[in-house]
Amino acid sequence: MSISSSLVGISFIFIFIFANALTFIFGGSSMRLGITIGMVVIIILHIITFKNVVTVYISNRHKQDIFLLIIAIPILSLFAIIQHEETFLYVKFLGSYLLLILMFVVGALMNNIISRTSELSFHKTITKLFYVLLVVMIVSMFLIENGMVHRKMMILFTEPSHFALVFLPILLYVTYVKHAAGSKKEALSYILLTIYMILDIKNATLMAGLFIVIVILYARNIKYFLFFLLVIVIAAIATFDLQYFITRLTISMQTDNVSVLVFISGWERGYLSLIESYGVGLGFQQMGTGALGIAMEKIINMGLPPLNKYDGGA
C-alpha cells in the first residue's frame, strides 16, 4: 500500500469515525471537537509526508478561493452585526469562521492526497472502510435488538442518523463501482442489507438516503427500481410499523412528532430571520438569535427544551 493511500485511509477514519467516536465517548452534542482534532492530525501528517508541497499546492490551486472565503464572510456578517449588535454571538461566529477556513484548507490537502493515490489503491481503501462500517451496522443491530445499548447508539456513533451520514456516501461509491464492474449481485446484497437495517432499527434519515442511492444506481433500469420500491413497501407493511415513517414524512404544523417540528422550525426561523433583517440575514452561524416561531414555541409548550435552536435542524 502506498503512502498516499495510507493517508487516505487514516484521513477518512479521523474525519468520519474519530469525530463521531469522540462525541460518543464524551457525550457531547456536537462533533466540532472531534472534527477539529481530526483535521489538525491530517494537516500534521500531510506536512510530515509531503513537506513543502503543502504551501505550493494550496497557493497554486486554492489561494483565490480561500482568500474570497476569508473576506466574504466578515463583510456579509458586518451588516448583520450593525442590525443585531446586542444579540450577535461573536464567539460562535469567530469559532465557526476559523473552523470553516480549516475545513477549506484540509479539503485542499485531501484533494492533494487523493490525486497522488492510484485508482486501485483508493478503491481498496474505501472498500475496507466500507466493510468496517458494515460490521458496525450488523453488530449495532444485534445490540439494539437485544436492548444492550441505550436507545439506538451504534458503537462509535451516538445515533443511526449520524451513522447514515457517514455510511450512505460510501455505500453509494461501493455499490456504484461494484455495479459498473459487473458485480451486480454483490451491490444488490448491500442494498438489501441496508433496507433490512432501516426496517429493523427504523431510521428515516437512512431511508431517505438509501432512496437517493437507489435512484442514482437504478433510475435507468425501471425493473430494478420498481423491484426495490416493492421490496421496501412490502417489508414496511410486514413490520406493522408504517406509522413511524408516515409521521416523519408528514410535514405539518399539526403534528406532534418532535423530529418534524424541529425540521419545520429550522425553515420557519430561517424565513423569519430574512423578514426581520430585510433580507440581510442574522449573520454567519447566528441561528437562534432571532424570533422563535410557532413551531419552536410548540416544542417548548410540549415541555421540551428549545431543540436545535442554534443550528436549525433543517
Side-chain angles (χ1 to χ4, degrees), residues 41-112:
V41 170
I42 291 173
I43 292 174
I44 293 173
L45 290 175
H46 195 285
I47 293 173
I48 293 173
T49 305
F50 300 116
K51 300 189 171 52
N52 62 343
V53 174
V54 179
T55 304
V56 175
Y57 187 83
I58 294 179
S59 297
N60 289 341
R61 301 191 59 181
H62 299 282
K63 183 177 180 179
Q64 182 178 358
D65 292 336
I66 294 176
F67 177 76
L68 289 174
L69 177 69
I70 293 173
I71 296 299
I73 291 179
I75 290 176
L76 293 174
S77 295
L78 182 62
F79 295 102
I81 293 174
I82 293 173
Q83 286 189 340
H84 310 283
E85 182 179 356
E86 295 182 357
T87 58
F88 196 85
L89 304 175
Y90 294 95
V91 175
K92 185 179 181 182
F93 167 80
L94 182 60
S96 300
Y97 176 55
L98 295 176
L99 182 60
L100 186 60
I101 293 174
L102 185 62
M103 288 180 178
F104 207 99
V105 173
V106 171
L109 299 186
M110 283 299 300
N111 189 24
N112 187 22

Side-chain angles (χ1 to χ4, degrees), residues 118-138:
S118 68
E119 184 177 341
L120 180 60
S121 295
F122 179 82
H123 175 68
K124 286 182 178 179
T125 300
I126 300 303
T127 301
K128 288 178 182 178
L129 180 61
F130 175 70
Y131 290 148
V132 170
L133 292 174
L134 272 184
V135 172
V136 170
M137 182 174 75
I138 294 171

Side-chain angles (χ1 to χ4, degrees), residues 19-224:
N20 282 281
L22 204 64
T23 304
F24 176 83
I25 293 170
F26 292 102
S29 59
S30 171
M31 293 186 289
R32 180 180 301 178
L33 176 62
I35 291 175
T36 303
I37 294 175
M39 290 191 295
V40 170
V41 170
I42 291 173
I43 292 174
I44 293 173
L45 290 175
H46 195 285
I47 293 173
I48 293 173
T49 305
F50 300 116
K51 300 189 171 52
N52 62 343
V53 174
V54 179
T55 304
V56 175
Y57 187 83
I58 294 179
S59 297
N60 289 341
R61 301 191 59 181
H62 299 282
K63 183 177 180 179
Q64 182 178 358
D65 292 336
I66 294 176
F67 177 76
L68 289 174
L69 177 69
I70 293 173
I71 296 299
I73 291 179
I75 290 176
L76 293 174
S77 295
L78 182 62
F79 295 102
I81 293 174
I82 293 173
Q83 286 189 340
H84 310 283
E85 182 179 356
E86 295 182 357
T87 58
F88 196 85
L89 304 175
Y90 294 95
V91 175
K92 185 179 181 182
F93 167 80
L94 182 60
S96 300
Y97 176 55
L98 295 176
L99 182 60
L100 186 60
I101 293 174
L102 185 62
M103 288 180 178
F104 207 99
V105 173
V106 171
L109 299 186
M110 283 299 300
N111 189 24
N112 187 22
I113 295 171
I114 293 173
S115 66
R116 293 166 174 266
T117 307
S118 68
E119 184 177 341
L120 180 60
S121 295
F122 179 82
H123 175 68
K124 286 182 178 179
T125 300
I126 300 303
T127 301
K128 288 178 182 178
L129 180 61
F130 175 70
Y131 290 148
V132 170
L133 292 174
L134 272 184
V135 172
V136 170
M137 182 174 75
I138 294 171
V139 173
S140 296
M141 284 193 295
F142 174 80
L143 295 176
I144 293 171
E145 285 178 0
N146 291 277
M148 300 172 68
V149 292
H150 178 62
R151 299 179 65 182
K152 294 182 180 181
M153 289 185 175
M154 299 186 64
I155 304 179
L156 299 174
F157 299 86
T158 54
E159 58 178 272
S161 295
H162 291 173
F163 173 80
L165 294 175
V166 174
F167 177 72
L168 288 168
I170 299 177
L171 172 68
L172 174 60
Y173 171 83
V174 172
T175 51
Y176 184 86
V177 172
K178 294 290 184 183
H179 195 270
S183 302
K184 296 182 179 181
K185 290 184 179 179
E186 185 176 353
L188 178 64
S189 66
Y190 296 145
I191 297 293
L192 292 175
L193 180 60
T194 307
I195 291 175
Y196 177 79
M197 178 189 177
I198 292 171
L199 298 174
D200 184 55
I201 67 173
K202 301 177 184 63
N203 183 259
T205 302
L206 197 58
M207 179 182 68
L210 180 63
F211 180 76
I212 294 173
V213 171
I214 291 174
V215 169
I216 293 173
L217 288 177
Y218 301 107
R220 296 182 180 179
N221 192 325
I222 192 64
K223 291 182 180 180
Y224 269 104

